[in-house]
Amino acid sequence: MGKIKNLPDSKGHFNEYGGRFVPETLMPALIELEQAYKKYKKDKEFLAELNSLQKDYIGRPTSLYFARRLTEHLKGAKVYLKREDLCHTGAHKINNAIAQALLAKKMGKTRIIAETGAGQHGVAAATGAALVGLECEIYMGTEDMRRQALNVFRMRLLGAKVTEVTTGSRTLKDAINEALRDWTTNVRNTHYVMGTVFGPHPYPLMVRDFQSIIGKEARQQILKAEGKLPDCLIACVGGGSNSIGLFYAFLTDNMRMIGIEAGGLGIQTGKHAARFAGGSLGVFQGCKSYLLQDDDGNVLTTHSVSAGLDYASIGPEHCYLRDIKKIEYTYATDEEALEAFEVLSNTEGIIPALESAHAIAEALKVAPSMPTDSIIIVNLSGRGDKDVQEVARIKGIEL
Amino acid sequence: MSTISGVFKKLKKEGKKALIPYIMAGDPSLNNTENFILELEEAGADMIELGVPFTDPLADGPTIQRAHERALRQGVTLRKILAFVEGIRQKTKIPLILMTYYNPVFKYGIEAFIKEAVRVGVDGVIVPDLIPDEAKDFIRIAREHGFDTIFLLAPTSTEERIRKVSTASKGFIYYVSITGITGAKLLMDDSMKNTLESIKEIAKRPVAVGFGISNPEEASLAASLADGIIVGSAIVRLIAEGKNIKGFVKAIKEAI
């Protein structure tokens, strides 16, 4: 295992990954954001305000819950769940969205924009905008708007304008293109709240920092509960913010860490979003990373039952952590995720988001062969209410 | 001196401004593109920008986005465009500049791309999502092969950015007239004049203005502030509507 370097470097590189691949128009805004972030991450007043919102508004710390019945069911390692599903708005996305909204306000911006796939980040950004008093516009593909009509209504209730994206595949990546176009046009008064550890520097760094509270809490909580560190951490990886959020505080410890990508209908079908299993190095939407692309460098359409994992590229820091063999990456298929969705619902009375169900699926695979005194922490990144309708549809049940 | 620099030098001597039309290669087909290039030359274009289609053109507005989609549906790729240029070099010597997003070039291989582009007769490249900070190897290899790298500046560019982009650019500098995407509405105010003046003072190389120039009046005004103008969406729209482009381009040429 390689030594962990303090990355990114000053240009946003994680070794060969990351960087800034954007239109020149955005460069001053990225530099302004980088400087503002550097300043405010050490600003006592900003941190006090953020801490207080994390506690009283988001509901942190979220609990680290011992899943007793799931553990009994698996007859192996003890399984703990980091309950990000209990955050206000129902997923870890709010950790980053609130912090960025607060930062935007401090920077004197009057408007924020964001992209959303499943709608969780859109809801979180709209919530942040309402909380600090900023105008908000959310870009969402028409295909996703159809699948997530409830979240569209939630965002509108929160005062956000939801703009439909009708170009390309009409999903998350197209929403990001459109948000970047908006930002390029309105860069002077607008902050772009990117929802994951992706895009141009400083986003991968900043979003990681805002999400790393997950692992900081989990580390203290497991030491308190068990008197020792876990043997294995598991989290799903779309862009990669909940996983880096959990893993980051444990990077200098010695344990297995597994990131789970969306295996969709299986790698051989081509209908998946497993960038490490089926992708290659590319440059997409602001950074250099693994990318699902064809031989001519065009970006492939992806598939996953979970909209939040359905993305053609992955956060650049994940590529670095994979290279140095600090984190293993594998995938769960739609079918495995759907099974895990039901197992957790039945054994623990917790309906997980389909994204998080991919992480649960891996726990179902690895826990049984581990000793009973070993410990797994799974990041339960979001709750599954938003997915209930889609799961019913897949099962052919009319609601 | 590169072909592109030569054209700017000659025009300057004659007191003229460069007209650089943009079309998407393969929209609606590469056969059409060949005819368009020849028509544009006859209409008075000084050089031509050829778009390379990409699935995620984040610097482009709706008009050119649709052109990317049409060309992709035809199966047009960077590889095919390079072969196409080799063919059309039998018929015209007009400087050709590729406008491509970075990933197709990155996937092709930077050195392989530049060597092949030079071999087939491409004169330079514009990569809207590549900034000089990330283009060290790209610039070095391009210099080794005498291939022009044209970088962009914007109304938001600071003096530091202007210096960086100027050093990295060969042939000319592409000034994006607005904070926005291609085909947006042009704002003719003093800020553009002021920014262009400071760019020209620092850069000491030709500057062409693009994004948002859609008629002869705007072309005339923009040309008066720079060394050349780029007209894209307005031409691409005519192509999409199946209309003739020659008359429009002639009118622009006469206005500048």
Side-chain angles (χ1 to χ4, degrees):
Chain A
M1 192 182 302
K3 250 212 162 110
I4 307 277
K5 287 193 264 186
N6 188 18
L7 293 173
D9 66 18
S10 64
K11 300 282 184 194
H13 296 114
F14 301 87
N15 280 358
E16 65 185 296
Y17 310 106
R20 281 175 170 149
F21 295 86
V22 290
E24 183 65 36
T25 312
L26 291 178
M27 273 309 288
L30 289 171
I31 293 167
E32 180 195 0
L33 176 62
E34 184 189 0
Q35 284 165 352
Y37 174 60
K38 260 190 201 159
K39 176 181 160 198
Y40 284 108
K41 76 174 184 185
K42 288 180 203 143
D43 182 270
K44 282 199 179 109
E45 202 182 311
F46 175 81
L47 292 175
E49 208 173 336
L50 183 58
N51 280 340
S52 140
L53 287 172
Q54 284 167 338
K55 177 167 165 284
D56 301 327
Y57 190 77
I58 298 178
R60 305 208 70 90
T62 58
S63 62
L64 182 71
Y65 165 73
F66 173 49
R68 184 178 306 277
R69 290 201 63 228
L70 180 65
T71 299
E72 283 166 7
H73 172 76
L74 296 174
K75 300 183 177 65
K78 296 173 85 168
V79 179
Y80 279 83
L81 304 176
K82 180 60 176 164
R83 297 291 307 275
E84 292 300 297
D85 61 318
L86 296 178
C87 289
H88 178 47
T89 72
H92 74 290
K93 291 288 183 192
I94 194 84
N95 299 327
N96 167 52
I98 291 289
Q100 281 200 49
L102 201 58
L103 184 64
K105 184 87 177 177
K106 297 276 181 207
M107 288 169 70
K109 303 290 179 186
T110 57
R111 176 173 180 265
I112 62 169
I113 53 170
E115 82 291 349
T116 199
Q120 290 305 106
H121 175 56
V123 167
T127 301
L131 176 69
V132 304
L134 293 169
E135 195 191 323
C136 179
E137 184 162 353
I138 305 292
Y139 288 93
M140 191 170 187
T142 44
E143 183 55 26
D144 288 333
M145 283 174 82
R146 184 192 61 76
R147 287 191 286 197
Q148 300 287 343
L150 196 66
N151 271 339
V152 174
F153 185 61
R154 282 171 84 194
M155 289 183 267
R156 288 183 173 145
L157 271 179
L158 292 161
K161 181 179 173 197
V162 182
T163 300
E164 55 177 36
V165 177
T166 58
T167 49
S169 60
R170 302 170 184 206
T171 58
L172 178 60
K173 80 176 174 76
D174 310 286
I176 294 178
N177 287 334
E178 212 49 45
L180 283 167
R181 289 178 188 122
D182 179 315
W183 199 29
T184 308
T185 307
N186 302 298
V187 60
R188 291 190 173 101
N189 72 347
T190 298
H191 171 67
Y192 178 20
V193 181
M194 180 157 261
T196 190
V197 287
F198 198 74
H201 180 62
Y203 285 103
L205 159 74
M206 184 171 73
V207 178
R208 174 195 79 194
D209 289 354
F210 289 147
Q211 291 293 0
S212 63
I213 190 165
I214 301 172
K216 273 182 215 157
E217 287 174 7
R219 199 171 184 282
Q220 285 175 2
Q221 288 166 322
I222 198 70
L223 285 173
K224 193 165 174 218
E226 294 280 350
K228 62 174 185 177
L229 288 170
D231 300 278
C232 180
L233 305 176
I234 302 173
C236 64
V237 189
S241 72
N242 92 77
S243 51
I244 219 91
L246 174 67
F247 298 159
Y248 198 65
F250 294 91
L251 282 184
T252 50
D253 300 316
N254 196 14
M255 70 192 59
R256 230 184 137 187
M257 299 185 197
I258 315 174
I260 315 301
E261 298 185 274
L265 303 180
I267 304 304
Q268 69 289 348
T269 67
K271 291 186 165 64
H272 63 85
R275 291 66 46 101
F276 286 136
S280 57
L281 196 57
V283 174
F284 182 54
Q285 294 184 332
C287 65
K288 193 183 284 181
S289 183
Y290 271 73
L291 176 65
L292 291 168
Q293 58 184 328
D294 66 17
D295 291 341
D296 297 299
N298 282 305
V299 179
L300 295 171
T301 51
T302 52
H303 165 83
S304 170
V305 68
S306 113
L309 303 183
D310 198 354
Y311 185 61
S313 191
I314 182 168
E317 189 163 16
H318 285 281
C319 303
Y320 163 67
L321 293 168
R322 176 175 177 263
D323 280 356
I324 62 165
K325 299 184 166 40
K326 187 71 210 177
I327 300 179
E328 303 163 42
Y329 294 84
T330 180
Y331 57 86
T333 61
D334 285 358
E335 204 181 325
E336 289 167 333
L338 286 164
E339 191 200 329
F341 181 84
E342 294 198 18
V343 168
L344 192 70
S345 301
N346 284 318
T347 55
E348 294 291 346
I350 297 170
I351 302 175
L354 279 174
E355 290 78 12
S356 320
H358 284 71
I360 299 291
E362 180 66 13
L364 301 186
K365 287 181 208 167
V366 301
S369 59
M370 289 169 70
T372 51
D373 61 348
S374 58
I375 301 163
I376 296 174
I377 296 179
V378 180
N379 200 12
L380 198 67
S381 54
R383 68 178 181 220
D385 307 46
K386 69 178 175 63
D387 296 316
V388 168
Q389 215 160 10
E390 183 66 6
V391 172
R393 194 189 62 79
I394 291 166
K395 294 173 69 125
I397 297 165
E398 223 172 288
L399 298 179
Chain B
M1 186 185 297
S2 75
T3 316
I4 295 170
S5 303
V7 169
F8 274 104
K9 202 171 174 191
K10 180 169 166 281
L11 288 168
K12 193 166 187 175
K13 239 183 231 166
E14 296 166 357
K16 290 181 186 164
K17 304 299 169 85
L19 171 58
I20 313 171
Y22 166 101
I23 54 172
M24 173 62 70
D27 172 29
S29 77
L30 283 173
N31 281 338
N32 292 106
T33 303
E34 178 170 320
N35 295 333
F36 292 148
I37 289 174
L38 300 174
E39 281 180 29
L40 290 169
E41 189 177 16
E42 282 168 29
D46 297 292
M47 44 192 109
I48 292 167
E49 241 185 73
L50 264 188
V52 176
F54 182 52
T55 38
D56 296 85
L58 58 81
D60 284 307
T63 303
I64 295 182
Q65 283 174 42
R66 301 300 180 201
H68 282 275
E69 289 173 9
R70 287 192 296 271
L72 285 172
R73 275 201 297 273
Q74 294 294 314
V76 175
T77 61
L78 180 56
R79 217 168 286 277
K80 287 186 185 167
I81 292 168
L82 289 168
F84 164 79
V85 171
E86 186 169 22
I88 203 167
R89 273 294 173 234
Q90 319 283 330
K91 297 184 182 166
T92 174
K93 289 196 163 64
I94 191 163
L96 293 172
I97 303 159
L98 292 187
M99 175 128 177
T100 174
Y101 286 86
Y102 190 46
N103 199 51
V105 170
F106 182 77
K107 184 73 181 171
Y108 194 104
I110 296 168
E111 183 152 20
F113 163 72
I114 290 172
K115 276 185 173 164
E116 182 65 3
V118 169
R119 191 187 71 78
V120 301
V122 177
D123 297 283
V125 66
I126 304 168
V127 187
D129 58 346
L130 183 66
I131 55 170
D133 317 53
E134 295 285 355
K136 238 188 218 165
D137 288 348
F138 189 80
I139 294 167
R140 178 180 52 76
I141 297 165
R143 294 286 180 277
E144 282 169 17
H145 293 86
F147 190 55
D148 282 351
T149 52
I150 295 140
F151 287 90
L152 297 94
L153 281 170
T156 51
S157 298
T158 55
E159 197 184 313
E160 193 196 335
R161 298 300 306 167
I162 296 173
R163 285 187 196 289
K164 197 166 252 185
V165 166
S166 302
T167 313
S169 296
K170 279 271 186 246
F172 65 96
I173 293 168
Y174 191 136
Y175 179 70
V176 176
S177 62
I178 41 161
T179 59
I181 51 181
T182 55
K185 209 174 150 31
L186 186 66
L187 281 175
M188 285 292 185
D189 57 12
D190 281 351
S191 71
M192 174 151 122
K193 188 167 172 244
N194 296 340
T195 318
L196 274 167
E197 272 166 12
S198 57
I199 291 172
K200 279 192 277 186
E201 200 180 302
I202 298 170
K204 303 199 180 4
R205 40 167 86 23
V207 180
V209 178
F211 283 39
I213 299 172
S214 63
N215 58 49
E217 296 75 50
E218 289 168 345
S220 162
L221 196 52
S224 71
L225 303 172
D227 304 294
I229 58 158
I230 298 145
V231 182
S233 297
I235 297 171
V236 170
R237 190 173 302 118
L238 290 176
I239 290 174
E241 291 166 355
K243 291 184 184 153
N244 187 276
I245 57 173
K246 211 167 155 182
F248 174 75
V249 176
K250 251 189 182 153
I252 298 271
K253 177 73 179 180
E254 280 157 18
I256 66 173

